[in-house]
Every structure is written in C-alpha cells, then in structure tokens.
Amino acid sequence: SCFGGGIQLALGADIRIATPDAKLSIMESKWGLIPDMGGTVPLRELLPLDVVKELVFTGRILSGEQAHALGLVTHLAADPVAKAKELLAEIFTRSPDAIAAGKILLQEAWWDSEGGALAAERRWQRRIINRGNQKIAIENNIKKSGKPYLPRKVNP
C-alpha cells in the first residue's frame, strides 16, 4: 500500500515499480487535507490535470494495474525488487556521466522552451563528449571490452 505521504515520496523517484495488486492513493482529501510534500510537482509531470484532479478530489484507491495504465507507475512486476535490480543492472552498463547528465538534462529541458531545451542539450553534451567515460563507452560498444567506467565526474 502506498497512500498519502507515501505516494508523495514515491513520486519523487525517477522510476516507480509496483505489483499489479498494489494499492495507491492520493487520499489526503479523505482526511480534509490536500497533497503536500512537493507531490504536486511530479504529478503535473506524470499525469494530465483532469486526472490528477479526480485522484485528489476522490482519494480513490488504485490498483497497481490502474496506476500503471494512468502513468503513475513505470513498471508492473510480481517481484518489484527483482525488477529494480534487473533495471539497475542494465543502467550500470552505461556511462555514469551519461546517466547523470541525461537526468539533469531532462529535468531542465522537459518544460523549457524549445530554445531552452536545445541549449541545455548543448551544455550537457559538451560536459561529457570526448571525456573518459564517453571514450570507455565507445570502446565497450565497439570492442566489447567490458572496461569498467571511471567514477562519475558530472555534477549538477
């Protein structure tokens, strides 16, 4: 179960995994309250306003399947921990600089103007291109070397 403040915290995650039978609710209205803890920021990025209004106004409890259909959770899995480990294993095969820069880029560019988004792309690409981890990524993909990445150098 992920209710109220719990779902507000979960919304702060980059990727959310739930079981099909999970129970999720933005149920503050049941207690005469409104969503807080910064939950409205990720909600506006994940769902259309009318859907968020309905969830906030009703406090309805959704199954994991319903939440996934709406876009509130990213993946459904019978074993969310195993799915998270599988996803992390895949992510860990990528340059930590590319992952960090990609996350920052998306957060900056997502709601910015086209010009602002393109400027952010240029800024972050310049910070990683032709650097150590980018060179390792090329080597790993061309030569299948499996060389370990250097510690992340990209910071916000």
Side-chain angles (χ1 to χ4, degrees), residues 67-146:
H68 183 256
L70 289 174
L72 203 55
V73 297
T74 315
H75 295 283
L76 289 178
D79 185 346
V81 173
K83 177 65 178 175
K85 288 179 179 179
E86 174 189 320
L87 189 56
L88 282 172
E90 183 178 357
I91 292 169
F92 286 156
T93 67
R94 305 294 183 240
S95 161
D97 290 330
I99 300 301
K103 177 178 176 168
I104 297 164
L105 164 65
L106 293 172
Q107 289 173 194
E108 286 181 7
W110 200 252
W111 295 109
D112 204 346
S113 66
E114 287 181 15
L118 293 172
E121 286 179 9
R122 286 188 304 275
R123 182 173 53 255
W124 287 103
Q125 193 72 287
R126 285 184 195 135
R127 291 184 72 179
I128 62 173
I129 198 165
N130 208 26
R131 301 275 167 45
N133 280 329
Q134 200 258 329
K135 291 177 181 179
I136 292 170
I138 292 170
E139 183 179 327
N140 285 347
N141 282 288
I142 292 175
K143 298 179 181 176
K144 308 292 184 207
S145 65

Side-chain angles (χ1 to χ4, degrees), residues 55-71:
L55 296 175
V56 168
F57 298 168
T58 65
R60 181 178 303 120
I61 297 173
L62 303 172
S63 69
E65 287 181 349
Q66 291 169 316
H68 183 256
L70 289 174

Side-chain angles (χ1 to χ4, degrees), residues 24-30 54-62:
L24 301 96
S25 177
I26 306 166
M27 67 167 42
E28 284 81 357
S29 65
K30 178 178 178 179
E54 180 179 345
L55 296 175
V56 168
F57 298 168
T58 65
R60 181 178 303 120
I61 297 173
L62 303 172

